[in-house]
Amino acid sequence: MAQPTMQQVAEAAGVSTALVSLVMRGAPNVSDMRRALVLKAAEELGYRPNVLARNLASRRTRTLGVVVNDLHNPFFAEIIDGIQSAAEANGYRILIGNGQHSRRGESDAIETFLQLRVDGLILAGAVVTEDEMERAAKSAAVVAIGRTAASREIDTVNCDESVGTRLVIDHLVGLGHRRISHIDGGSGAGAANRRLGYEESMREFGLGEFINTVRGDFSESGGYNAADELLTLHQRPTAIFAANDLSAAGALDRVEDAGLEVPSDVAIVGYDNTGLAAMHHLSLTTINQPRGVFGRIATELILERIDDGRTTAVHHVVAPTLVVRKTSGPSTETSREEEILV
Amino acid sequence: MAQPTMQQVAEAAGVSTALVSLVMRGAPNVSDMRRALVLKAAEELGYRPNVLARNLASRRTRTLGVVVNDLHNPFFAEIIDGIQSAAEANGYRILIGNGQHSRRGESDAIETFLQLRVDGLILAGAVVTEDEMERAAKSAAVVAIGRTAASREIDTVNCDESVGTRLVIDHLVGLGHRRISHIDGGSGAGAANRRLGYEESMREFGLGEFINTVRGDFSESGGYNAADELLTLHQRPTAIFAANDLSAAGALDRVEDAGLEVPSDVAIVGYDNTGLAAMHHLSLTTINQPRGVFGRIATELILERIDDGRTTAVHHVVAPTLVVRKTSGPSTETSREEEILV
DNA sequence: ATGAAAGCGCTAACAG
DNA sequence: CTGTTAGCGCTTTCAT
């Protein structure tokens, strides 16, 4: 496994290691002749720069560590895509660490990256304490996606849940719905914001009296059970807004099991626009968060700190969009009322 | 961002850097007194070992690079789990690289890891050429998951598709099915093996005459269209075996759209046991591949090369299992025949 | 049990 | 445009 070194390339090409170094980094001020010589020697020897040595000597790694809370969540894959393309465009490489859905796992991943001396650290969906993020920020630029941070050392990028929830309510109200219930995410991350957004939006539209939240847990069965509860109400809702797609799928299941039609009897709206929502038989109306954009912006923010030396915190908020599919439609109840009025 | 060095810790503790090095690595032959002294100094300074320097000096990284073909595919998340726990148990850390679903992306990730001088490289679902894998094997131990490799330098771990497909056919035949059609994965990775396994198993059970494969592409719509084709047959199949869960979901959709009951009119079996299959309203009978085991075995194999110096190739094959859910049941047609026979 | 000294493979001034 | 000379922060003999 012994690999050729710069020294050997230099000797083979009959030049100094410094020149080889310049050539390998694509420096401009090298004669074409020597450049060719070095490149040829490197090629023949199968030379591969030793990044360890390079980074040690230059005290820069041009590497970003990306710690995701949970690799199982497809949400993060798209964020990584956004990070990766933005990083590459700026000459940075990324390394991915798995938080294994635990504070401990995230800590380990962060520590690994810090020991590797990455220039920046992007934490996606992190559950570590803010203290720990601040400590990390002493050694590398840090930006967090999907959570807040008070420290001046940490940038954040988040989605505006209040906009997302208002889009949902606006859409449903526009379809004539008024009895719109919410299946929340219980104590899960982000659940409180969505619940709050739902309530505020309802009040905004003058539907405060129809606010009705039942407890879910972001899971399919949680959605199923919550819908079950909603269907037993003496005045059952004409629309259900679930805190995420998975629980919306569960709710849909329950509603159909009851022999009701979606969306004519009950409209259902999810949140997150996961692959699930796009499936043919589900075809769920939902809120899309521009995940790739999260990654791109996080990367741009971190590079501003690394390359431009920004030292103040920036908190970027991006707006979600509504994706209308087949689980939302006009409220038949309201149309009946309208007929009477006519 | 200047970080304390071993030198500074040594001075603060009043010892040599060599001693600090020993303490940091937990060496046994250090007096308790000095060990405490060093640990205290390190703690106070907030010292963090510089892995770059350590790896450069020791010419070992105790790091495994994991390149996954596509981070969007949840399949790989579980493989990574298996790798991670096995690696940690052996004092190795892992770094994850994203192949971005392309040969080019994988190449880049591999090159990055090689430049970082990882001790081993685990390629999961890789689509790079075998030449490229062999080249990588000159610099690090390499094991590939989910693909074959002829080189003596490369270990592999694969799932036995012939066992999986036989499990499916055996299950369906046991339920009385004979007209079992297959929706394949077209030219997708692994599609050929599953198609072949299907055909062989059918012949094994004396059902060669009922072999009927229609083209799919591992997608939901591919499954939908393929099922559409199957339903127009003058003798439509009583069971459909799809090459993966997603296309099975598509087929299920089409069958239900036709007003047929699953499983009583048509049984449907998928492959891979993805999260989709477990969903309540799908509840798909499918084949489970022990993905975590893939990762664990791959890690064990690579450590045999790194730590034990094995130089011959090992090709490990693991057996899948059948997960019976609600989309498979007795063939009503056969039971009718049996009644006649009685 | 501890220290001195020589690298690991590269970059970074500084000369010229 | 190219070479010389110091390190980067750590590990590793080899002494003691």
Side-chain angles (χ1 to χ4, degrees):
Chain A
M1 302 282 170
Q3 308 225 31
T5 71
M6 189 171 264
Q7 176 90 48
Q8 294 169 37
V9 175
E11 279 165 17
V15 300
S16 70
T17 60
L19 225 214
V20 177
S21 175
L22 289 173
V23 172
M24 294 318 292
R25 284 176 286 155
N29 294 336
V30 178
S31 68
D32 288 349
M33 176 205 135
R34 308 236 186 196
R35 181 186 302 278
L37 232 48
V38 169
L39 255 18
K40 183 165 142 289
E43 173 68 39
E44 277 168 6
L45 290 173
Y47 171 72
R48 176 159 25 228
N50 185 324
V51 168
L52 298 174
R54 165 182 294 179
N55 292 346
L56 179 60
S58 65
R59 266 146 300 183
R60 294 273 276 102
T61 60
R62 290 196 83 80
T63 299
L64 266 24
V66 180
V67 178
V68 298
N69 167 266
D70 181 16
L71 228 33
H72 287 87
N73 191 335
F75 197 90
F76 295 116
E78 284 182 53
I79 291 181
I80 290 174
D81 285 345
I83 295 172
Q84 193 150 20
S85 59
E88 268 170 20
N90 288 282
Y92 279 75
R93 87 179 95 229
I94 73 167
L95 255 18
I96 301 160
N98 184 11
Q100 296 179 100
H101 203 39
S102 73
R103 194 163 302 191
R104 173 71 200 294
E106 281 180 5
S107 281
D108 289 353
I110 290 172
E111 180 63 25
T112 289
F113 283 139
L114 257 21
Q115 292 190 359
L116 269 175
R117 301 298 194 264
V118 296
D119 294 334
L121 211 44
I122 297 179
L123 309 177
V127 294
V128 290
T129 63
E130 181 155 348
D131 259 20
E132 176 144 8
M133 296 202 295
E134 270 197 82
R135 222 172 311 132
K138 301 228 175 310
S139 316
V142 173
V143 28
I145 297 177
R147 74 170 280 172
T148 56
S151 165
R152 204 167 39 83
E153 314 284 333
I154 301 170
D155 299 330
T156 63
V157 15
N158 280 284
C159 207
D160 194 330
E161 304 280 28
S162 71
V163 167
T165 50
R166 193 180 310 116
L167 281 171
V168 172
I169 305 306
D170 183 43
H171 171 62
L172 291 171
V173 168
L175 290 169
H177 294 275
R178 313 166 96 225
R179 285 205 305 286
I180 304 168
S181 295
H182 180 54
I183 297 176
D184 77 0
S187 54
N193 278 338
R194 292 178 189 182
R195 183 171 47 237
L196 233 67
Y198 156 73
E199 291 169 1
E200 277 173 15
S201 299
M202 287 294 277
R203 273 190 285 271
E204 252 175 59
F205 284 97
L207 301 175
E209 59 180 313
F210 296 115
I211 289 178
N212 178 31
T213 301
V214 296
R215 196 173 173 83
D217 57 2
F218 283 141
S219 78
E220 189 190 11
S221 63
Y224 190 94
N225 296 333
D228 189 60
E229 197 176 317
L230 288 174
L231 293 184
T232 64
L233 258 37
H234 66 290
Q235 279 272 65
R236 73 156 190 258
T238 63
I240 297 176
F241 166 33
N244 73 340
D245 289 345
L246 196 57
S247 55
L252 179 63
D253 237 24
R254 180 68 193 85
V255 169
E256 289 182 339
D257 280 0
L260 296 170
E261 291 282 316
V262 173
S264 55
D265 293 324
V266 182
I268 296 180
V269 178
Y271 209 106
D272 283 345
N273 194 25
T274 55
L276 206 61
M279 285 196 67
H280 183 260
H281 70 269
L282 259 181
S283 196
L284 193 67
T285 292
T286 188
I287 291 293
N288 182 60
Q289 304 192 36
R291 303 183 269 263
V293 174
F294 286 4
R296 177 173 58 72
I297 292 178
T299 308
E300 288 167 0
L301 290 179
I302 215 164
L303 294 184
E304 283 174 20
R305 281 189 183 265
I306 298 173
D307 292 336
D308 309 342
R310 175 167 56 74
T311 57
T312 55
V314 170
H315 301 292
H316 203 111
V317 177
V318 350
T321 55
L322 177 74
V323 180
V324 178
R325 292 205 183 85
K326 297 186 187 153
T327 56
S328 63
S331 164
T332 50
E333 183 165 284
T334 308
S335 24
R336 239 178 286 130
E337 281 175 26
E338 280 169 351
E339 276 164 29
I340 296 170
L341 288 175
V342 168
Chain B
M1 301 281 173
Q3 309 223 27
T5 70
M6 187 171 266
Q7 175 90 48
Q8 295 169 36
V9 176
E11 279 165 17
V15 300
S16 71
T17 60
L19 224 215
V20 177
S21 175
L22 289 173
V23 172
M24 294 317 293
R25 282 175 290 156
N29 294 336
V30 178
S31 68
D32 288 348
M33 175 208 138
R34 308 233 186 195
R35 180 185 304 279
L37 232 49
V38 169
L39 255 19
K40 181 165 143 288
E43 173 69 38
E44 277 169 5
L45 291 173
Y47 172 71
R48 174 161 26 228
N50 185 324
V51 169
L52 297 174
R54 166 182 293 181
N55 292 347
L56 179 60
S58 66
R59 266 143 303 183
R60 293 273 277 101
T61 59
R62 290 197 85 79
T63 300
L64 265 25
V66 180
V67 178
V68 299
N69 167 265
D70 181 15
L71 228 36
H72 287 85
N73 190 336
F75 196 90
F76 296 115
E78 284 183 50
I79 290 181
I80 290 173
D81 285 345
I83 294 171
Q84 192 150 20
S85 60
E88 268 170 20
N90 288 281
Y92 279 75
R93 91 180 92 229
I94 73 167
L95 254 18
I96 301 161
N98 184 11
Q100 297 181 99
H101 203 41
S102 73
R103 193 163 301 189
R104 173 68 201 296
E106 284 180 4
S107 280
D108 289 352
I110 290 172
E111 181 62 24
T112 290
F113 283 139
L114 257 20
Q115 292 190 359
L116 269 175
R117 299 302 193 262
V118 296
D119 293 336
L121 211 44
I122 297 180
L123 309 178
V127 295
V128 290
T129 62
E130 182 157 346
D131 258 21
E132 176 144 7
M133 296 203 295
E134 271 198 78
R135 222 172 310 133
K138 300 228 175 309
S139 317
V142 173
V143 28
I145 298 177
R147 73 170 282 173
T148 56
S151 165
R152 202 166 41 81
E153 315 285 334
I154 301 170
D155 298 331
T156 64
V157 16
N158 280 284
C159 207
D160 195 331
E161 305 280 28
S162 70
V163 168
T165 51
R166 193 181 308 114
L167 281 170
V168 172
I169 304 305
D170 184 43
H171 171 63
L172 290 171
V173 168
L175 290 169
H177 293 276
R178 311 166 98 228
R179 282 205 309 286
I180 305 168
S181 294
H182 179 55
I183 297 176
D184 77 1
S187 53
N193 278 338
R194 292 178 189 181
R195 184 169 50 235
L196 235 66
Y198 156 73
E199 291 169 359
E200 277 172 14
S201 299
M202 287 294 276
R203 272 190 286 270
E204 253 176 56
F205 284 96
L207 300 175
E209 58 180 312
F210 296 115
I211 290 177
N212 178 29
T213 301
V214 295
R215 198 174 173 84
D217 57 3
F218 285 141
S219 79
E220 189 189 14
S221 62
Y224 190 94
N225 295 333
D228 188 61
E229 198 175 318
L230 288 173
L231 294 183
T232 63
L233 257 38
H234 66 289
Q235 280 272 66
R236 72 156 192 259
T238 64
I240 296 176
F241 166 32
N244 73 339
D245 289 345
L246 195 56
S247 55
L252 179 64
D253 234 26
R254 181 67 193 84
V255 170
E256 289 182 339
D257 279 1
L260 296 170
E261 290 284 314
V262 173
S264 57
D265 292 324
V266 181
I268 296 180
V269 178
Y271 209 106
D272 284 344
N273 194 24
T274 54
L276 204 61
M279 285 196 67
H280 183 260
H281 70 269
L282 257 182
S283 196
L284 193 67
T285 293
T286 188
I287 291 294
N288 182 61
Q289 304 192 36
R291 303 183 268 264
V293 175
F294 285 5
R296 178 173 58 70
I297 292 178
T299 308
E300 288 167 1
L301 290 179
I302 215 165
L303 293 184
E304 283 174 21
R305 281 188 183 265
I306 298 173
D307 293 335
D308 310 342
R310 174 165 57 74
T311 56
T312 55
V314 170
H315 301 292
H316 203 112
V317 177
V318 349
T321 55
L322 178 74
V323 181
V324 178
R325 294 205 183 85
K326 296 185 186 154
T327 55
S328 62
S331 164
T332 49
E333 182 165 285
T334 308
S335 26
R336 241 179 284 130
E337 279 175 27
E338 280 168 352
E339 279 165 27
I340 297 172
L341 288 173
V342 167

